[in-house]
Amino acid sequence: MQWAARQHFHHRSALMQTWGAVLLLIACALWVWLGFLMADPQGMYCYRGMSSVCEVESDVPKQLTILGISAPLSVLGAGLLVAGSVRRQTSAHVFEVIEMQKSEERSREK
């Protein structure tokens, strides 16, 4: 019973770590895309007609949207990754303590 519960706990922890890593990779891709958008010089388009009219095309709404999506993904991904790692390490520690207690009980009985 204990082995099955331990395996299930490790599986859930690994799943949390995997989701955290995936979310961080998605957020990283969004941050790279945002960097390319910010590094790209703003284009100026001039229309020739009766008079020369020039407009600057701004990507600020798109940049803010990418930033607004990537920031929560980064926080959530980091949280899941850390929580999964802590769960695994804590579970390993608890089982080591249980094994040490059993070993002490066996040595006391002798």
Side-chain angles (χ1 to χ4, degrees), residues 44-63:
M44 181 176 281
Y45 299 102
C46 295
Y47 302 103
R48 309 242 186 237
M50 295 271 217
S51 63
S52 182
V53 178
C54 294
E55 293 180 4
V56 176
E57 184 178 288
S58 175
D59 285 338
V60 173
K62 182 190 266 187
Q63 293 170 354

mmCIF file of all heavy atoms in Angstrom, residues 44-63:
data_model
loop_
_atom_site.group_PDB
_atom_site.id
_atom_site.type_symbol
_atom_site.label_atom_id
_atom_site.label_comp_id
_atom_site.label_asym_id
_atom_site.label_seq_id
_atom_site.Cartn_x
_atom_site.Cartn_y
_atom_site.Cartn_z
ATOM 1 N N MET A 44 7.459 53.524 -40.620
ATOM 2 C CA MET A 44 6.738 54.737 -40.978
ATOM 3 C C MET A 44 6.274 54.565 -42.419
ATOM 4 O O MET A 44 7.057 54.228 -43.289
ATOM 5 C CB MET A 44 7.642 55.969 -40.857
ATOM 6 C CG MET A 44 6.931 57.257 -41.192
ATOM 7 S SD MET A 44 7.948 58.692 -40.941
ATOM 8 C CE MET A 44 7.841 58.864 -39.203
ATOM 9 N N TYR A 45 4.996 54.722 -42.586
ATOM 10 C CA TYR A 45 4.423 54.552 -43.907
ATOM 11 C C TYR A 45 3.919 55.902 -44.395
ATOM 12 O O TYR A 45 3.178 56.586 -43.716
ATOM 13 C CB TYR A 45 3.271 53.542 -43.865
ATOM 14 C CG TYR A 45 3.724 52.182 -43.404
ATOM 15 C CD1 TYR A 45 3.489 51.755 -42.111
ATOM 16 C CD2 TYR A 45 4.401 51.341 -44.271
ATOM 17 C CE1 TYR A 45 3.915 50.509 -41.683
ATOM 18 C CE2 TYR A 45 4.830 50.094 -43.860
ATOM 19 C CZ TYR A 45 4.582 49.684 -42.562
ATOM 20 O OH TYR A 45 5.016 48.467 -42.142
ATOM 21 N N CYS A 46 4.345 56.261 -45.584
ATOM 22 C CA CYS A 46 3.919 57.529 -46.168
ATOM 23 C C CYS A 46 3.050 57.248 -47.394
ATOM 24 O O CYS A 46 3.372 56.381 -48.211
ATOM 25 C CB CYS A 46 5.114 58.378 -46.592
ATOM 26 S SG CYS A 46 6.137 58.907 -45.208
ATOM 27 N N TYR A 47 1.952 57.949 -47.457
ATOM 28 C CA TYR A 47 1.044 57.814 -48.581
ATOM 29 C C TYR A 47 1.174 59.061 -49.430
ATOM 30 O O TYR A 47 1.046 60.177 -48.949
ATOM 31 C CB TYR A 47 -0.402 57.651 -48.094
ATOM 32 C CG TYR A 47 -0.586 56.454 -47.187
ATOM 33 C CD1 TYR A 47 -0.702 56.618 -45.809
ATOM 34 C CD2 TYR A 47 -0.629 55.171 -47.709
ATOM 35 C CE1 TYR A 47 -0.858 55.525 -44.977
ATOM 36 C CE2 TYR A 47 -0.786 54.078 -46.880
ATOM 37 C CZ TYR A 47 -0.896 54.263 -45.524
ATOM 38 O OH TYR A 47 -1.038 53.193 -44.696
ATOM 39 N N ARG A 48 1.420 58.884 -50.683
ATOM 40 C CA ARG A 48 1.576 60.028 -51.587
ATOM 41 C C ARG A 48 0.244 60.258 -52.299
ATOM 42 O O ARG A 48 -0.319 59.369 -52.902
ATOM 43 C CB ARG A 48 2.654 59.752 -52.619
ATOM 44 C CG ARG A 48 3.941 59.286 -51.990
ATOM 45 C CD ARG A 48 5.049 60.233 -52.264
ATOM 46 N NE ARG A 48 6.285 59.640 -51.752
ATOM 47 C CZ ARG A 48 7.026 60.232 -50.885
ATOM 48 N NH1 ARG A 48 6.692 61.411 -50.434
ATOM 49 N NH2 ARG A 48 8.133 59.678 -50.461
ATOM 50 N N GLY A 49 -0.226 61.379 -52.177
ATOM 51 C CA GLY A 49 -1.482 61.723 -52.825
ATOM 52 C C GLY A 49 -1.435 63.221 -53.069
ATOM 53 O O GLY A 49 -0.446 63.751 -53.540
ATOM 54 N N MET A 50 -2.501 63.852 -52.710
ATOM 55 C CA MET A 50 -2.535 65.308 -52.821
ATOM 56 C C MET A 50 -1.466 65.911 -51.920
ATOM 57 O O MET A 50 -0.779 66.833 -52.288
ATOM 58 C CB MET A 50 -3.904 65.837 -52.415
ATOM 59 C CG MET A 50 -4.987 65.398 -53.339
ATOM 60 S SD MET A 50 -5.024 66.608 -54.557
ATOM 61 C CE MET A 50 -6.622 66.885 -55.012
ATOM 62 N N SER A 51 -1.361 65.349 -50.736
ATOM 63 C CA SER A 51 -0.307 65.804 -49.822
ATOM 64 C C SER A 51 0.346 64.557 -49.239
ATOM 65 O O SER A 51 -0.235 63.489 -49.173
ATOM 66 C CB SER A 51 -0.895 66.671 -48.712
ATOM 67 O OG SER A 51 -1.793 65.911 -47.949
ATOM 68 N N SER A 52 1.555 64.715 -48.807
ATOM 69 C CA SER A 52 2.284 63.584 -48.251
ATOM 70 C C SER A 52 1.859 63.384 -46.789
ATOM 71 O O SER A 52 2.078 64.247 -45.948
ATOM 72 C CB SER A 52 3.783 63.850 -48.341
ATOM 73 O OG SER A 52 4.493 62.762 -47.850
ATOM 74 N N VAL A 53 1.212 62.258 -46.519
ATOM 75 C CA VAL A 53 0.749 61.944 -45.171
ATOM 76 C C VAL A 53 1.542 60.739 -44.673
ATOM 77 O O VAL A 53 1.575 59.695 -45.322
ATOM 78 C CB VAL A 53 -0.762 61.627 -45.158
ATOM 79 C CG1 VAL A 53 -1.217 61.254 -43.764
ATOM 80 C CG2 VAL A 53 -1.545 62.799 -45.710
ATOM 81 N N CYS A 54 2.164 60.903 -43.513
ATOM 82 C CA CYS A 54 2.945 59.810 -42.949
ATOM 83 C C CYS A 54 2.336 59.377 -41.624
ATOM 84 O O CYS A 54 1.903 60.205 -40.833
ATOM 85 C CB CYS A 54 4.392 60.238 -42.710
ATOM 86 S SG CYS A 54 5.285 60.605 -44.232
ATOM 87 N N GLU A 55 2.281 58.072 -41.425
ATOM 88 C CA GLU A 55 1.761 57.524 -40.178
ATOM 89 C C GLU A 55 2.779 56.545 -39.605
ATOM 90 O O GLU A 55 3.452 55.836 -40.332
ATOM 91 C CB GLU A 55 0.452 56.774 -40.422
ATOM 92 C CG GLU A 55 -0.693 57.644 -40.836
ATOM 93 C CD GLU A 55 -1.959 56.831 -41.065
ATOM 94 O OE1 GLU A 55 -1.941 55.609 -40.817
ATOM 95 O OE2 GLU A 55 -2.944 57.426 -41.502
ATOM 96 N N VAL A 56 2.858 56.539 -38.302
ATOM 97 C CA VAL A 56 3.725 55.579 -37.629
ATOM 98 C C VAL A 56 2.838 54.440 -37.121
ATOM 99 O O VAL A 56 1.877 54.665 -36.394
ATOM 100 C CB VAL A 56 4.475 56.238 -36.445
ATOM 101 C CG1 VAL A 56 5.293 55.203 -35.699
ATOM 102 C CG2 VAL A 56 5.349 57.367 -36.947
ATOM 103 N N GLU A 57 3.158 53.244 -37.553
ATOM 104 C CA GLU A 57 2.388 52.083 -37.111
ATOM 105 C C GLU A 57 2.956 51.609 -35.782
ATOM 106 O O GLU A 57 4.143 51.332 -35.660
ATOM 107 C CB GLU A 57 2.478 50.977 -38.153
ATOM 108 C CG GLU A 57 1.612 49.785 -37.805
ATOM 109 C CD GLU A 57 1.689 48.734 -38.884
ATOM 110 O OE1 GLU A 57 1.135 48.954 -39.970
ATOM 111 O OE2 GLU A 57 2.322 47.698 -38.608
ATOM 112 N N SER A 58 2.103 51.525 -34.798
ATOM 113 C CA SER A 58 2.545 51.146 -33.462
ATOM 114 C C SER A 58 2.101 49.723 -33.124
ATOM 115 O O SER A 58 0.963 49.345 -33.373
ATOM 116 C CB SER A 58 1.975 52.127 -32.443
ATOM 117 O OG SER A 58 2.304 51.711 -31.152
ATOM 118 N N ASP A 59 3.018 48.964 -32.531
ATOM 119 C CA ASP A 59 2.713 47.600 -32.096
ATOM 120 C C ASP A 59 2.529 47.531 -30.588
ATOM 121 O O ASP A 59 2.585 46.455 -30.006
ATOM 122 C CB ASP A 59 3.844 46.649 -32.500
ATOM 123 C CG ASP A 59 3.835 46.321 -33.980
ATOM 124 O OD1 ASP A 59 2.770 46.468 -34.596
ATOM 125 O OD2 ASP A 59 4.889 45.920 -34.502
ATOM 126 N N VAL A 60 2.294 48.675 -29.948
ATOM 127 C CA VAL A 60 2.179 48.692 -28.491
ATOM 128 C C VAL A 60 1.025 47.824 -27.988
ATOM 129 O O VAL A 60 1.216 47.066 -27.039
ATOM 130 C CB VAL A 60 2.083 50.141 -27.962
ATOM 131 C CG1 VAL A 60 1.801 50.167 -26.476
ATOM 132 C CG2 VAL A 60 3.363 50.890 -28.271
ATOM 133 N N PRO A 61 -0.155 47.853 -28.574
ATOM 134 C CA PRO A 61 -1.220 46.959 -28.077
ATOM 135 C C PRO A 61 -0.840 45.481 -28.172
ATOM 136 O O PRO A 61 -1.107 44.703 -27.259
ATOM 137 C CB PRO A 61 -2.420 47.274 -28.956
ATOM 138 C CG PRO A 61 -2.177 48.653 -29.455
ATOM 139 C CD PRO A 61 -0.689 48.764 -29.591
ATOM 140 N N LYS A 62 -0.192 45.100 -29.254
ATOM 141 C CA LYS A 62 0.237 43.712 -29.403
ATOM 142 C C LYS A 62 1.301 43.375 -28.353
ATOM 143 O O LYS A 62 1.267 42.300 -27.746
ATOM 144 C CB LYS A 62 0.814 43.494 -30.800
ATOM 145 C CG LYS A 62 1.243 42.049 -31.050
ATOM 146 C CD LYS A 62 2.027 41.927 -32.338
ATOM 147 C CE LYS A 62 1.127 41.555 -33.482
ATOM 148 N NZ LYS A 62 1.866 41.277 -34.717
ATOM 149 N N GLN A 63 2.227 44.292 -28.114
ATOM 150 C CA GLN A 63 3.272 44.062 -27.120
ATOM 151 C C GLN A 63 2.689 43.940 -25.719
ATOM 152 O O GLN A 63 3.103 43.079 -24.941
ATOM 153 C CB GLN A 63 4.309 45.189 -27.175
ATOM 154 C CG GLN A 63 5.110 45.206 -28.440
ATOM 155 C CD GLN A 63 5.953 46.455 -28.580
ATOM 156 O OE1 GLN A 63 5.868 47.368 -27.779
ATOM 157 N NE2 GLN A 63 6.781 46.488 -29.615
#
